[in-house]
Amino acid sequence: QVQLVESGGGLVQPGGSLRLSCAASGFTFSNYVMSWYRQAPGKERDLVATIASTGGRTDYADSVKGRFTISRDNAKSTVYLQMNSAKRDDTAVYYCKAASSYYMSTYWGQGTQVTVSS
């Protein structure tokens, strides 16, 4: 059974930091590109960051470049999103996604709420 379980969300003050985790099971994690998306109320789900299966390449949305860092630990089947210098516009539900063009499969987590507020 495939599972992606996000954790680490919560309330953070503007300028603060938070680290999200996404623990994967039920598939070969090291073969999948991992991404973080976010969806604010009334808006579409947007890509935040992506990391290659080996961790050798990362890409970021312009809105989070220099503030967020995506990383992965293939031994633990976990992907992380370190959020620094948080802004109110970062408030959203954050989802992790696993994708493989080779296996033609995509998996989503259930999401974790991040609220940036004083």
Side-chain angles (χ1 to χ4, degrees):
Q1 180 184 359
V2 171
Q3 279 193 310
L4 290 172
V5 180
E6 298 99 336
S7 61
L11 177 65
V12 60
Q13 292 187 341
S17 297
L18 207 60
R19 188 174 87 150
L20 307 183
S21 301
C22 173
S25 60
F27 64 98
T28 306
F29 180 80
S30 60
N31 288 345
Y32 282 70
V33 173
M34 298 301 298
S35 301
W36 286 96
Y37 283 73
R38 67 186 181 187
Q39 187 167 21
K43 295 188 177 180
E44 294 185 352
R45 190 173 298 187
D46 293 327
L47 177 63
V48 174
T50 296
I51 186 166
S53 58
T54 61
R57 174 173 174 163
T58 57
D59 291 293
Y60 298 90
D62 288 343
S63 58
V64 307
K65 277 181 183 176
R67 299 189 298 119
F68 290 9
T69 302
I70 188 171
S71 61
R72 65 190 295 161
D73 185 337
N74 284 350
K76 295 183 178 179
S77 297
T78 301
V79 62
Y80 306 95
L81 185 68
Q82 178 68 43
M83 305 171 57
N84 297 330
S85 303
K87 301 178 180 180
R88 287 184 171 81
D89 286 349
D90 295 327
T91 295
V93 177
Y94 283 72
Y95 300 89
C96 68
K97 186 185 86 169
S100 169
S101 56
Y102 180 83
Y103 295 107
M104 294 185 291
S105 55
T106 300
Y107 308 118
W108 288 91
Q110 83 289 349
T112 186
Q113 175 71 47
V114 172
T115 302
V116 183
S117 176
S118 53

